[in-house]
Amino acid sequence: MYPFTLERPATLADAVKLAAAGAKPLAGGQTLLASMKLRLSAPDQLADLAGIAELSGIRREGDALVIGAMARHLEVGNSAEVKSAFPALADLASRIGDRQVRAMGTLGGSLANNDPAACYPSAVLGSGATVVTDRREIAADDFFQGLFTTALDDGELITAVRFPLPQRAAYEKLRQKASHFPLVGVFVAQMANGVRVAVTGAGNGVFRHNGLEDALSQSFTPEAAAGVKIDSSELNTDLHASAAYRANLINVLTQRAVARAIG
Ligand SMILES: Cc1cc2nc3c(=O)[nH]c(=O)nc-3n(C[C@H](O)[C@H](O)[C@H](O)COP(=O)(O)OP(=O)(O)OC[C@H]3O[C@@H](n4cnc5c(N)ncnc54)[C@H](O)[C@@H]3O)c2cc1C
């Protein structure tokens, strides 16, 4: 590690000032500290968000669930409010990574990082959630912009995410044994205004699948998903799996997610 300074702002206003001056936000450190150790990131100053009350908490607001950026995966997975209002989200959070990652990792950190195989982006995009920052609200459809890239401007902080509640939803993934990240994950949600399907782990970043959404809007059944051909031409091939294998996984995991959502 090389020298850097660590600030511990107590309020969102102080964190915003630090971030505007160039400090790098530190959430649970699950990605950031590892990337600093590897010299992939070299901030001069970190702003630890852990002590900021405005970034914590989980609350119901009408037909939506609002979750603070610093909510840890463990907290979301164990929350009675989330389990009752949006069980698929609690289930997703409770299956992220391993025990340490769930104890430290945060919703805001996961979304700002936008790893192409992360679980949370699929729930945010798959439910049509809104990312709330210190300066604006960003629709999920506009937030994720490909490999480790988001709509956040320099110094902009995620403060919370507002999730509309689905009628039915489920998340299925095939977990990589070594990293615990999904090889492919699919989040399916039947919302008041139609079905949304978001895929993670298969491409450059999380994406919606129009063919699956159309088929499931006609008939919300595993059979409808099974009939959709998944084009592999823009999917990833790496040492873990070919694009064709990932395409097949998208189809199979969607069928499983729909079966689970139906119950
Ligand atoms: C071994 C391992 C296994 C994992 N498995 C999974 C998995 O199965 N599924 C999955 O989804 N994820 C997985 N993760 C990722 C994990 O869930 C974390 O969410 C992710 O590493 C980000 O960590 P963090 O929340 O601690 O954020 P940090 O590492 O602290 O920050 C990450 C980035 O986000 C920025 N940032 C943090 N908070 C904010 C904010 N509020 N506003 C703006 N920018 C911010 C930071 O500056 C940094 O650039 C895994 C991680 C590890 C190490």
Side-chain angles (χ1 to χ4, degrees):
M1 210 58 116
Y2 54 88
F4 62 89
T5 56
L6 173 67
E7 297 293 331
R8 292 209 160 113
T11 66
L12 179 58
D14 287 346
V16 166
K17 270 189 223 147
L18 283 163
K24 184 98 174 138
L26 172 68
Q30 295 303 288
T31 292
L32 181 54
L33 295 185
S35 67
M36 288 170 67
K37 285 182 189 164
L38 292 167
R39 301 286 201 273
L40 296 171
S41 176
D44 295 327
Q45 188 173 52
L46 296 181
D48 183 357
L49 306 180
I52 302 176
E54 293 115 298
L55 300 181
S56 69
I58 297 174
R59 62 186 185 278
R60 182 81 181 258
E61 276 185 8
D63 287 339
L65 200 55
V66 179
I67 303 185
M70 282 301 291
R72 315 273 178 184
H73 309 329
L74 194 68
E75 195 185 336
V76 175
N78 288 342
S79 159
E81 189 79 76
V82 184
K83 280 182 181 171
S84 130
F86 196 165
L89 187 65
D91 172 62
L92 176 150
S94 70
R95 290 192 285 144
I96 289 176
D98 53 33
R99 197 177 278 260
Q100 174 184 310
V101 170
R102 289 193 294 276
M104 295 302 293
T106 65
L107 173 59
S110 174
L111 300 184
N113 191 47
N114 193 20
D115 187 298
C119 301
Y120 260 134
S122 72
V124 170
L125 187 62
S127 62
T130 302
V131 179
V132 183
T133 79
D134 61 301
R135 45 191 97 158
R136 58 187 168 144
E137 299 202 346
I138 310 172
D141 285 319
D142 301 324
F143 183 81
F144 302 104
Q145 300 190 348
L147 199 67
F148 296 108
T149 308
T150 70
L152 290 175
D153 290 329
D154 283 348
E156 186 169 9
L157 294 178
I158 300 174
T159 56
V161 179
R162 192 168 59 245
F163 291 93
L165 299 181
Q167 293 159 351
R168 298 189 279 198
Y171 177 64
E172 284 290 342
K173 66 176 174 181
L174 182 70
R175 206 176 70 154
Q176 279 197 30
K177 293 276 189 285
S179 73
H180 292 197
F181 272 95
L183 188 59
V184 172
V186 178
F187 192 92
V188 172
Q190 197 171 33
M191 308 300 297
N193 55 1
V195 174
R196 294 174 71 106
V197 179
V199 179
T200 186
N204 221 10
V206 66
F207 62 89
R208 290 173 66 185
H209 196 285
N210 294 337
L212 286 165
E213 290 185 353
D214 290 347
L216 291 171
S217 294
Q218 305 276 325
S219 164
F220 195 68
T221 58
E223 293 74 22
V228 177
K229 177 150 177 39
I230 311 293
D231 179 8
S232 65
S233 61
E234 291 192 16
L235 302 183
N236 291 343
T237 289
D238 57 23
L239 78 167
H240 302 294
S242 66
Y245 185 79
R246 283 190 162 89
N248 188 54
L249 268 184
I250 292 172
N251 192 295
V252 169
L253 293 172
T254 306
Q255 292 179 54
R256 287 186 193 164
V258 173
R260 199 156 172 210
I262 290 169

